[in-house]
Each structure stands twice: as C-alpha cells, then as structure tokens.
Amino acid sequence: MIKVSVMYANELGSRFDHTYYRDKHMPLVQARLGDACKYYTIDKGISAANAGNTTVYVAMCRIFSGSVEALETGLGPHAEEFNAAMRRAWLPSTSPWAPRRSSLLVSRSANSG
C-alpha cells in the first residue's frame, strides 16, 4: 500500500474552495482512478503551531493505492482533467513574487508491512 500526499500552500492572496474540493474534485479523482484508489482523506489547514501564524498548507489530501504502478496507470489518462478541475479549487496568488507551491509526496503506508 502506498500513500500519495498532495499539499496546497497557504500563500498570501491565494484562495482554496474546500467545498468544491471535498464535494466535486476528490470524488472525481476516486471515480476516475477506480480500484487504484482504495480510499482518500482530506485535511483542511486551520491553525499553525505558533499562535498568530498562519498554517503552511491550506489543504492536503492523501490517496491510498495498492502500488505506484496501479496509481500511475489510473492517473495517466486523466492527468489533464484532474489539473483543470484542481484549478477550480485552488487559485494561487497572482502576485509575481509569490511562490507557486503545491507539494506531492509518495510514501509507503505504515500499515502496509
């Protein structure tokens, strides 16, 4: 079992539509991936460790799959559709000096043995 973590930066001036992401985007991803997506989780960044600071990530999702190969096979034909749909949820800052950050991490799930 592998876990893919996608993290969306909380940039000054950016906007993230959590309702769209939860109700439309991730169900679309799960439907297109089929059996390659065993399940997924969504986290909403609400607070930073230090009072007064903003959270580094505005949202994160984790997709659990049987293998890297299964996930790649499921993602490949739908990559453009996923990217277009994601632009409806996360609008990075339009500031020319703001970083454009979203992060992707693929790891072996702790309970996969």
Side-chain angles (χ1 to χ4, degrees):
M1 178 85 65
I2 64 156
K3 173 176 60 176
V4 177
S5 301
V6 183
M7 299 157 282
Y8 301 96
N10 188 13
E11 300 173 348
L12 182 64
S14 65
R15 180 186 69 78
F16 196 92
D17 185 340
H18 291 278
T19 302
Y20 172 82
Y21 194 72
R22 180 194 66 224
D23 295 345
K24 302 287 185 187
H25 183 74
M26 288 309 297
L28 169 74
V29 170
Q30 185 175 39
R32 296 296 188 267
L33 290 179
D35 291 339
C37 176
K38 302 298 182 193
Y39 64 97
Y40 65 86
T41 63
I42 301 171
D43 296 310
K44 180 178 182 179
I46 58 171
S47 173
N50 300 322
N53 292 334
T54 58
T55 183
V56 175
Y57 297 104
V58 69
M60 293 184 230
C61 81
R62 289 168 185 87
I63 301 170
F64 294 82
S65 184
S67 68
V68 171
E69 296 77 18
L71 187 71
E72 287 175 344
T73 299
L75 285 173
H78 308 289
E80 286 186 37
E81 181 182 16
F82 293 157
N83 286 333
M86 190 57 244
R87 285 191 290 275
R88 292 193 53 178
W90 185 56
L91 297 175
S93 170
T94 57
S95 168
W97 57 84
R100 303 288 188 267
R101 296 183 301 173
S102 68
S103 301
L104 177 72
L105 172 67
V106 178
S107 58
R108 185 151 317 276
S109 182
N111 58 359
S112 66

